[in-house]
């Protein structure tokens, strides 16, 4: 039927069982430049073989509740929507490729290739979605535009990428619970930002990053994020990571727990744990909250520009090098080497060492094949017990704790 209020062409399923054989999809809407809606009542199933369970050609799709749907494809995708193009006044115009899942009590998608494969944006709201696939080379959910999840429970489990927004797509998670498990990035914004607010997110990757954003990453609103990866569990390529009033646990099995391609800032009541350490290309700033970073074979907290601790509690431990360090490149010949770690007036370093820095030294910043740069190290340095004035880098302090003055020091490990 045609709904004049929504301008949707509605296909109503009421306890329906659809079986598609051969190259036929379960539901196929072949007309372009329209908006179709699959309205669910009761418990519904769609099974298909080599074609999608729901195939919308060059149009938009809404799947609405309050019923449920289980879609299975034994050799294809569960939901496939392509992007149509047409010409208006000689200009090429794209239409369609977008999917909205709204108010569905339970949407279960078991695909071989992909659970959801669309060229537009994906919005999941007020719904419960469980998606999986078995093909090793495909993501579970793939879009070419934004992914927005709100007031929903979403699970994506596969052997390649979990939730993948390609091109310039952002991933926004609000007031939701999201679990993603994969071999490659579990939650991947290929050209945009990742924003998590008032949500619980668990991202696990066995061979890549838990959370990967080409843009920035923001975790706010008392969110609880647990991310595990082979590479950095939280990773931004060329932008910053901001954590405010949230709990973040990041662990890497072979790299930094958190890697910020620009700045990393921790504010408010946040509790941040980074197993594998923290690296920020520019600055690492703590305004308040608690940060714990550990590394068994490298520097626990490291940046290329500076570290500013103005409040809260920071704990760093290294099994090999300095606990906290800045490796700064001389930009002008007139620059003077100076300490690049700053403690605010309300902070105190209580491990018995001091902040020390080296003069400019010739270093190979990007490997021995590149021209050397003039670099200066700043680190927390431990006093040599035999010679308290010996502050060489070979005595770099492997464990340091910084807390607000007046805090209960008995809690320090």
């Amino acid at each position: 039927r045609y709904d004049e209020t929504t301008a949707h062409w509605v296909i109503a399923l009421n306890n329906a069982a659809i079986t598609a054989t051969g190259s036929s999809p379960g539901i196929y809407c072949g007309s372009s430049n329209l908006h179709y809606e699959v309205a669910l009542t009761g418990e519904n199933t769609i099974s298909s073989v080599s074609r999608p369970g729901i195939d919308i050609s060059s149009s938009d799709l809404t799947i609405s509740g309050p019923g449920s749907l289980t879609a299975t494809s034994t050799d294809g995708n569960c939901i496939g929507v392509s992007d149509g193009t047409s010409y208006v006044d000689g200009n090429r115009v794209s239409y369609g490729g977008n999917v909205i899942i709204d108010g569905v009590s339970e949407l279960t998608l078991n695909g071989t290739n992909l659970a959801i494969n669309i060229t537009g944006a994906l919005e999941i709201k007020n719904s419960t979605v469980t998606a999986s696939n078995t093909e090793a080379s495909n993501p579970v959910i793939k879009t070419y535009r934004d992914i927005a999840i709100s007031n929903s429970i979403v699970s994506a489990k596969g052997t390649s990428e979990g939730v993948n927004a390609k091109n310039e797509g952002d991933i926004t998670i609000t007031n939701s619970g999201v679990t993603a498990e994969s071999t490659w990035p579990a939650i991947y914004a290929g050209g945009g930002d990742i924003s998590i607010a008032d949500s619980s997110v668990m991202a696990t990757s066995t061979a890549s990053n838990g959370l990967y954003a080409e843009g920035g990453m923001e975790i706010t609103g008392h969110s609880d994020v647990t991310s595990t990866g082979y590479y950095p569990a939280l990773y931004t390529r060329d932008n910053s990571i901001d954590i405010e009033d949230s709990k973040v646990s990041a662990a890497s099995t072979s790299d930094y727990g958190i890697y910020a391609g620009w700045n990393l800032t921790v504010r408010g009541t946040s509790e941040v744990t980074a197993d594998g350490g923290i690296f920020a290309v520019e600055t690492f700033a703590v305004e308040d909250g608690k940060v714990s970073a550990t590394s068994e074979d490298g520097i626990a907290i490291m940046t290329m520009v500076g570290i500013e601790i103005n409040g809260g509690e920071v704990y760093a431990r290294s099994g090999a090098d300095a606990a906290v360090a800045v490796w700064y490149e001389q930009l002008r010949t007139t620059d003077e080497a100076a300490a690049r770690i700053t403690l605010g007036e309300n902070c105190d370093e209580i491990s018995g060492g001091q902040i020390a820095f080296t003069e400019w030294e010739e270093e190979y910043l990007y490997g021995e094949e590149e021209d050397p740069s003039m670099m200066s190290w700043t680190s927390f340095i431990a006093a040599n017990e035999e010679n308290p004035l010996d502050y060489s880098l070979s005595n770099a302090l492997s464990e340091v704790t910084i807390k607000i003055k007046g805090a209960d020091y008995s809690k320090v490990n």
Side-chain angles (χ1 to χ4, degrees):
R1 62 183 175 84
Y2 180 73
D3 188 324
E4 294 184 354
T5 302
T6 61
H8 293 178
W9 292 91
V10 180
I11 302 168
L13 302 185
N14 183 3
N15 292 310
I18 298 174
T19 301
T21 59
S23 59
S24 298
I27 294 176
Y28 177 63
C29 301
S31 297
S32 301
N33 301 348
L34 301 177
H35 194 131
Y36 294 95
E37 179 176 349
V38 176
L40 304 172
T41 304
E43 299 178 0
N44 303 275
T45 62
I46 299 174
S47 64
S48 62
V49 183
S50 60
R51 294 291 302 277
I54 302 176
D55 188 353
I56 307 297
S57 176
S58 306
S59 290
D60 291 328
L61 169 67
T62 292
I63 302 176
S64 61
S68 66
L69 172 63
T70 298
T72 303
S73 180
T74 57
D75 194 25
N77 307 321
C78 294
I79 298 174
V81 178
S82 60
D83 183 32
T85 58
S86 59
Y87 288 85
V88 178
D89 296 330
N91 297 316
R92 186 173 183 268
V93 178
S94 295
Y95 181 89
N98 305 299
V99 170
I100 299 171
I101 301 170
D102 185 9
V104 179
S105 62
E106 188 171 357
L107 178 62
T108 303
L109 306 172
N110 299 315
T112 300
N113 291 339
L114 296 93
I116 299 176
N117 183 25
I118 59 178
T119 56
L122 172 65
E123 183 178 5
I124 301 174
K125 52 186 179 180
N126 309 308
S127 300
T128 297
V129 178
T130 302
S132 66
N133 74 332
T134 56
E135 174 59 51
S137 61
N138 287 322
V140 180
I141 297 173
K142 183 177 76 174
T143 75
Y144 281 83
R145 299 178 199 160
D146 297 344
I147 296 175
I149 301 172
S150 62
N151 304 307
S152 297
I153 304 296
V154 177
S155 173
K157 184 175 183 179
T159 54
S160 182
E161 292 149 347
V163 179
N164 184 342
K166 299 177 73 69
N167 292 350
E168 300 285 322
D170 298 329
I171 297 177
T172 304
I173 302 171
T174 307
N175 194 32
S176 297
V178 176
T179 301
E181 300 179 37
S182 65
T183 303
W184 298 112
I187 298 177
Y188 175 67
D193 303 332
I194 294 178
S195 300
I196 301 171
D198 301 292
S199 297
S200 174
V201 175
M202 180 174 292
T204 303
S205 171
T206 57
S208 188
N209 312 96
L211 291 167
Y212 180 117
E214 288 281 344
M217 189 179 303
E218 185 178 66
I219 302 172
T220 61
H222 304 285
S223 293
D224 189 341
V225 176
T226 300
S227 183
T228 305
Y230 178 82
Y231 295 127
L234 265 64
Y235 179 86
T236 57
R237 184 181 177 93
D238 296 314
N239 217 314
S240 300
I241 299 176
D242 291 305
I243 302 171
E244 183 172 1
D245 296 327
S246 297
K247 182 177 180 180
V248 175
S249 177
S252 169
T253 56
S254 68
D255 212 321
Y256 292 101
I258 299 175
Y259 181 105
W262 200 245
N263 301 308
L264 171 61
T265 304
V266 178
R267 302 185 181 91
T269 59
S270 296
E271 296 183 19
V272 178
T273 302
D275 187 357
I278 291 172
F279 181 84
V281 172
E282 286 285 310
T283 62
F284 171 50
V286 179
E287 305 297 333
D288 209 341
K290 297 180 181 180
V291 177
S292 176
T294 60
S295 176
E296 296 303 322
D297 54 7
I299 297 171
I301 299 176
M302 180 178 171
T303 79
M304 300 293 290
V305 173
I307 296 173
E308 301 176 3
I309 302 172
N310 297 310
E313 178 179 340
V314 178
Y315 171 78
R317 180 183 62 79
S318 171
D321 297 309
V324 182
V326 178
W327 194 28
Y328 182 72
E329 181 180 11
Q330 186 181 27
L331 301 179
R332 296 176 297 273
T333 57
T334 55
D335 287 347
E336 296 183 0
R340 295 273 169 184
I341 299 176
T342 304
L343 300 182
E345 294 181 356
N346 62 335
C347 292
D348 192 15
E349 190 272 307
I350 63 172
S351 294
Q354 74 171 34
I355 296 172
F357 65 94
T358 68
E359 293 298 323
W360 298 118
E361 298 178 357
E362 192 174 88
E363 299 274 3
Y364 289 97
L365 183 59
Y366 300 110
E368 295 183 1
E369 300 300 323
E370 300 287 341
D371 294 332
S373 298
M374 300 303 294
M375 308 295 297
S376 172
W377 279 94
T378 302
S379 179
F380 280 104
I381 305 300
N384 187 311
E385 292 182 358
E386 296 180 359
N387 182 4
L389 298 181
D390 181 3
Y391 292 112
S392 65
L393 282 175
S394 62
N395 295 320
L397 188 64
S398 62
E399 185 166 328
V400 64
T401 303
I402 303 166
K403 300 186 70 173
I404 296 175
K405 287 183 178 179
D408 184 2
Y409 290 167
S410 65
K411 296 181 180 178
V412 178
N413 292 332

CSV table of all heavy atoms in Angstrom, one decimal, residues 12-20 25-27 40-48 53 68-72:
chain,number,residue,atom,x,y,z
A,12,ALA,N,3.6,-5.0,4.2
A,12,ALA,CA,3.3,-5.4,5.6
A,12,ALA,C,3.5,-6.9,5.8
A,12,ALA,O,2.9,-7.7,5.0
A,12,ALA,CB,1.9,-5.0,6.0
A,13,LEU,N,4.3,-7.3,6.8
A,13,LEU,CA,4.5,-8.7,7.1
A,13,LEU,C,3.9,-9.0,8.4
A,13,LEU,O,4.2,-8.3,9.4
A,13,LEU,CB,6.0,-9.0,7.1
A,13,LEU,CG,6.8,-8.8,5.8
A,13,LEU,CD1,8.3,-9.3,6.0
A,13,LEU,CD2,6.2,-9.4,4.6
A,14,ASN,N,3.0,-10.0,8.5
A,14,ASN,CA,2.4,-10.4,9.7
A,14,ASN,C,2.5,-11.9,9.9
A,14,ASN,O,1.8,-12.7,9.3
A,14,ASN,CB,0.9,-10.0,9.6
A,14,ASN,CG,0.1,-10.3,10.9
A,14,ASN,OD1,0.8,-10.7,11.9
A,14,ASN,ND2,-1.2,-10.1,10.9
A,15,ASN,N,3.6,-12.2,10.8
A,15,ASN,CA,3.9,-13.6,11.0
A,15,ASN,C,4.2,-14.3,9.6
A,15,ASN,O,3.7,-15.5,9.4
A,15,ASN,CB,2.8,-14.4,11.7
A,15,ASN,CG,2.7,-13.9,13.2
A,15,ASN,OD1,3.7,-13.8,13.9
A,15,ASN,ND2,1.5,-13.5,13.6
A,16,ALA,N,4.9,-13.7,8.8
A,16,ALA,CA,5.1,-14.2,7.4
A,16,ALA,C,6.4,-15.0,7.4
A,16,ALA,O,7.4,-14.8,8.1
A,16,ALA,CB,5.3,-13.0,6.4
A,17,ALA,N,6.4,-16.0,6.6
A,17,ALA,CA,7.6,-16.9,6.3
A,17,ALA,C,7.9,-16.9,4.8
A,17,ALA,O,7.1,-17.5,4.1
A,17,ALA,CB,7.4,-18.3,6.9
A,18,ILE,N,8.9,-16.2,4.4
A,18,ILE,CA,9.3,-16.1,3.0
A,18,ILE,C,10.5,-16.9,2.7
A,18,ILE,O,11.5,-16.7,3.4
A,18,ILE,CB,9.5,-14.6,2.6
A,18,ILE,CG1,8.2,-13.8,2.9
A,18,ILE,CG2,9.9,-14.5,1.2
A,18,ILE,CD1,8.4,-12.3,2.7
A,19,THR,N,10.4,-17.8,1.7
A,19,THR,CA,11.6,-18.6,1.3
A,19,THR,C,11.8,-18.3,-0.2
A,19,THR,O,11.0,-18.5,-1.0
A,19,THR,CB,11.3,-20.1,1.5
A,19,THR,OG1,11.1,-20.3,2.9
A,19,THR,CG2,12.5,-20.9,1.0
A,20,ALA,N,13.1,-17.8,-0.5
A,20,ALA,CA,13.4,-17.5,-1.9
A,20,ALA,C,14.5,-18.5,-2.3
A,20,ALA,O,15.4,-18.8,-1.6
A,20,ALA,CB,14.0,-16.1,-1.9
A,25,PRO,N,15.6,-12.7,-4.7
A,25,PRO,CA,15.6,-12.2,-3.4
A,25,PRO,C,14.3,-12.5,-2.6
A,25,PRO,O,13.3,-12.9,-3.3
A,25,PRO,CB,15.7,-10.7,-3.6
A,25,PRO,CG,15.1,-10.5,-4.9
A,25,PRO,CD,15.4,-11.7,-5.7
A,26,GLY,N,14.3,-12.4,-1.3
A,26,GLY,CA,13.1,-12.6,-0.6
A,26,GLY,C,12.1,-11.6,-0.9
A,26,GLY,O,10.9,-11.9,-1.1
A,27,ILE,N,12.5,-10.3,-0.8
A,27,ILE,CA,11.7,-9.2,-1.1
A,27,ILE,C,12.5,-8.3,-2.1
A,27,ILE,O,13.6,-8.0,-1.8
A,27,ILE,CB,11.3,-8.3,0.1
A,27,ILE,CG1,10.3,-9.1,1.0
A,27,ILE,CG2,10.6,-7.0,-0.3
A,27,ILE,CD1,10.0,-8.4,2.3
A,40,LEU,N,6.6,-4.6,10.2
A,40,LEU,CA,6.6,-5.9,10.9
A,40,LEU,C,5.6,-6.0,12.0
A,40,LEU,O,5.5,-5.1,12.9
A,40,LEU,CB,8.0,-6.2,11.4
A,40,LEU,CG,9.2,-6.2,10.5
A,40,LEU,CD1,10.5,-6.3,11.2
A,40,LEU,CD2,9.0,-7.2,9.4
A,41,THR,N,4.8,-7.1,11.9
A,41,THR,CA,3.9,-7.5,13.0
A,41,THR,C,4.1,-8.9,13.3
A,41,THR,O,4.2,-9.8,12.4
A,41,THR,CB,2.4,-7.2,12.6
A,41,THR,OG1,2.3,-5.9,12.3
A,41,THR,CG2,1.5,-7.5,13.8
A,42,GLY,N,4.2,-9.3,14.6
A,42,GLY,CA,4.5,-10.7,14.9
A,42,GLY,C,5.9,-11.1,14.6
A,42,GLY,O,6.8,-10.3,14.5
A,43,GLU,N,6.1,-12.4,14.4
A,43,GLU,CA,7.4,-13.0,14.1
A,43,GLU,C,7.5,-13.4,12.6
A,43,GLU,O,6.7,-14.2,12.2
A,43,GLU,CB,7.7,-14.2,15.0
A,43,GLU,CG,7.6,-13.9,16.5
A,43,GLU,CD,7.8,-15.1,17.4
A,43,GLU,OE1,8.0,-16.2,16.8
A,43,GLU,OE2,7.8,-15.0,18.6
A,44,ASN,N,8.5,-12.8,12.0
A,44,ASN,CA,8.6,-13.0,10.5
A,44,ASN,C,10.0,-13.5,10.2
A,44,ASN,O,11.0,-13.3,10.9
A,44,ASN,CB,8.4,-11.7,9.8
A,44,ASN,CG,7.1,-11.0,10.2
A,44,ASN,OD1,6.1,-11.3,9.6
A,44,ASN,ND2,7.1,-10.1,11.2
A,45,THR,N,10.1,-14.3,9.1
A,45,THR,CA,11.3,-14.8,8.6
A,45,THR,C,11.5,-14.7,7.1
A,45,THR,O,10.5,-14.7,6.4
A,45,THR,CB,11.5,-16.3,8.9
A,45,THR,OG1,10.4,-17.1,8.3
A,45,THR,CG2,11.4,-16.6,10.4
A,46,ILE,N,12.7,-14.5,6.6
A,46,ILE,CA,13.0,-14.4,5.2
A,46,ILE,C,14.3,-15.2,5.0
A,46,ILE,O,15.3,-15.0,5.7
A,46,ILE,CB,13.3,-13.0,4.7
A,46,ILE,CG1,12.0,-12.2,4.9
A,46,ILE,CG2,13.7,-13.0,3.2
A,46,ILE,CD1,12.2,-10.7,4.5
A,47,SER,N,14.3,-16.2,4.1
A,47,SER,CA,15.5,-16.9,3.8
A,47,SER,C,15.8,-16.8,2.3
A,47,SER,O,14.8,-16.9,1.5
A,47,SER,CB,15.4,-18.4,4.2
A,47,SER,OG,14.4,-19.1,3.5
A,48,SER,N,17.0,-16.7,1.9
A,48,SER,CA,17.4,-16.6,0.5
A,48,SER,C,18.7,-17.3,0.3
A,48,SER,O,19.4,-17.6,1.3
A,48,SER,CB,17.4,-15.1,0.1
A,48,SER,OG,18.4,-14.4,0.8
A,53,GLY,N,18.1,-11.0,1.2
A,53,GLY,CA,16.8,-11.3,1.8
A,53,GLY,C,15.8,-10.2,1.4
A,53,GLY,O,14.7,-10.4,1.0
A,68,SER,N,9.1,-8.6,14.8
A,68,SER,CA,10.5,-9.0,14.6
A,68,SER,C,10.7,-9.6,13.3
A,68,SER,O,9.7,-10.0,12.6
A,68,SER,CB,10.8,-10.1,15.7
A,68,SER,OG,10.1,-11.3,15.5
A,69,LEU,N,12.0,-9.7,12.9
A,69,LEU,CA,12.3,-10.3,11.6
A,69,LEU,C,13.7,-11.0,11.7
A,69,LEU,O,14.6,-10.5,12.2
A,69,LEU,CB,12.4,-9.3,10.5
A,69,LEU,CG,12.9,-9.8,9.1
A,69,LEU,CD1,12.0,-10.8,8.5
A,69,LEU,CD2,13.1,-8.6,8.2
A,70,THR,N,13.7,-12.3,11.2
A,70,THR,CA,15.0,-13.0,11.1
A,70,THR,C,15.2,-13.2,9.6
A,70,THR,O,14.4,-13.9,8.9
A,70,THR,CB,14.9,-14.4,11.8
A,70,THR,OG1,14.8,-14.1,13.2
A,70,THR,CG2,16.2,-15.1,11.6
A,71,ALA,N,16.3,-12.7,9.1
A,71,ALA,CA,16.7,-12.8,7.7
A,71,ALA,C,18.0,-13.6,7.5
A,71,ALA,O,19.0,-13.3,8.2
A,71,ALA,CB,16.8,-11.5,7.0
A,72,THR,N,18.0,-14.6,6.7
A,72,THR,CA,19.2,-15.5,6.5
A,72,THR,C,19.4,-15.6,5.0
A,72,THR,O,18.5,-15.8,4.2
A,72,THR,CB,18.9,-16.9,7.1
A,72,THR,OG1,18.6,-16.7,8.5
A,72,THR,CG2,20.2,-17.7,7.0
